[in-house]
Amino acid sequence: YEGRMADDRTQSALAILRAIGTGSVPIEPFTGDARWWWNGGLDLPIAAFAALLADLHTQTEDGIAVTPELVLSQDDSVMIEATSAARLINGRIYANRYIFLFHFDGTAIREVREYSDSAHVNATFDLGG
């Protein structure tokens, strides 16, 4: 059973990364108090992160394609190393490298910790501030 739960967690985490490309992250896989933390200075409830992602999506031509490269699962966590690619409507190219650390409560995601090049994010997207 534990092996199947780890597989379910991995598939859930990968599904969230695929959803980023659509600009719409589903709330259902998360706990009610789940957070999305980013090393660039954000620590948001999932609904607020989803709204931010939707805003960023409007700045792209076809969304942000996130490509997983290395996936590791241990205990209640899944770590995914990934890259991204996006062409923005302002002509800029967004290409970043990430470590996403998903923490679970059972099969529900309780926290995502995103590590990426925050200077590149800030230089590429209009973050309104």
Side-chain angles (χ1 to χ4, degrees):
Y1 175 75
E2 193 58 39
R4 196 176 106 237
M5 186 179 291
D7 289 345
D8 290 348
R9 291 173 179 153
T10 298
Q11 290 309 311
S12 179
L14 290 168
I16 295 300
L17 296 188
R18 283 191 301 274
I20 287 173
T22 71
S24 179
V25 171
I27 303 301
E28 299 78 33
F30 294 89
T31 63
D33 61 347
R35 314 273 310 167
W36 193 291
W37 177 94
W38 173 57
N39 66 293
L42 295 178
D43 185 2
L44 301 172
I46 290 305
F49 170 76
L52 173 63
L53 178 64
D55 178 57
L56 295 179
H57 186 75
T58 66
Q59 297 180 43
T60 70
E61 290 184 3
D62 295 310
I64 303 168
V66 178
T67 303
E69 296 180 358
L70 175 65
V71 180
L72 300 172
S73 177
Q74 181 178 335
D75 300 326
D76 70 345
S77 300
V78 175
M79 188 279 300
I80 301 173
E81 182 180 24
T83 57
S84 67
R87 180 178 301 277
L88 276 63
I89 56 177
N90 64 15
R92 295 181 188 141
I93 300 296
Y94 179 67
N96 214 332
R97 297 190 65 79
Y98 308 85
I99 296 290
F100 291 98
L101 185 54
F102 290 79
H103 294 290
F104 287 81
D105 183 359
T107 57
I109 302 166
R110 67 176 163 80
E111 180 184 47
V112 179
R113 298 182 69 78
E114 173 188 341
Y115 300 87
S116 65
D117 180 351
S118 59
H120 179 54
V121 174
N122 290 315
T124 308
F125 285 96
D126 175 9
L127 300 178

